[in-house]
Amino acid sequence: MAGLPRFRIDVFITNKPAIRDPEGESILQDLAIRNGFVSVKSIRTGKVLAMEIEAENVELAKSKVMEMCDSLRLYNPVVSSCSVRVASE
């Protein structure tokens, strides 16, 4: 008997727009602008968690991953946003 299908789900954790992003600001100033990429006006950083999960379908896989992120507090909902997407291979 075959197991459940596997899905690759990417979790994106970023600071909310109203929260400063010192790392992104440094990359913008010290790398992009200083090296001539003056058309770049903003850089925001974040984390990506690449997960592989077994589930009956893709929507259930995304739901399970989001539930895990919320219940395990993989991000701080006060200052961060969390979203999940099916990874493109």
Side-chain angles (χ1 to χ4, degrees):
M1 182 172 144
L4 292 173
R6 288 186 180 189
F7 298 95
R8 165 98 186 280
I9 306 295
D10 288 340
V11 179
F12 296 90
I13 301 171
T14 57
N15 286 343
K16 289 183 176 179
I19 303 297
R20 280 189 64 229
D21 183 355
E23 185 177 12
E25 292 168 5
S26 291
I27 293 168
L28 177 65
Q29 291 299 320
D30 298 337
L31 294 177
I33 292 175
R34 189 171 285 167
N35 287 291
F37 295 96
V38 295
S39 62
V40 178
K41 300 301 179 192
S42 176
I43 296 177
R44 302 283 294 178
T45 61
K47 296 177 188 173
V48 177
L49 307 175
M51 299 187 184
E52 190 172 296
I53 183 171
E54 292 181 339
E56 293 172 6
N57 58 56
V58 70
E59 290 306 315
L60 190 54
K62 288 168 43 179
S63 176
K64 284 183 175 185
V65 167
M66 195 65 213
E67 178 185 354
M68 182 186 73
C69 291
D70 289 338
S71 65
L72 297 178
R73 304 264 311 171
L74 295 182
Y75 70 104
N76 180 346
V78 174
V79 297
S80 300
S81 297
C82 181
S83 62
V84 296
R85 292 184 212 147
V86 177
S88 57
E89 307 235 17

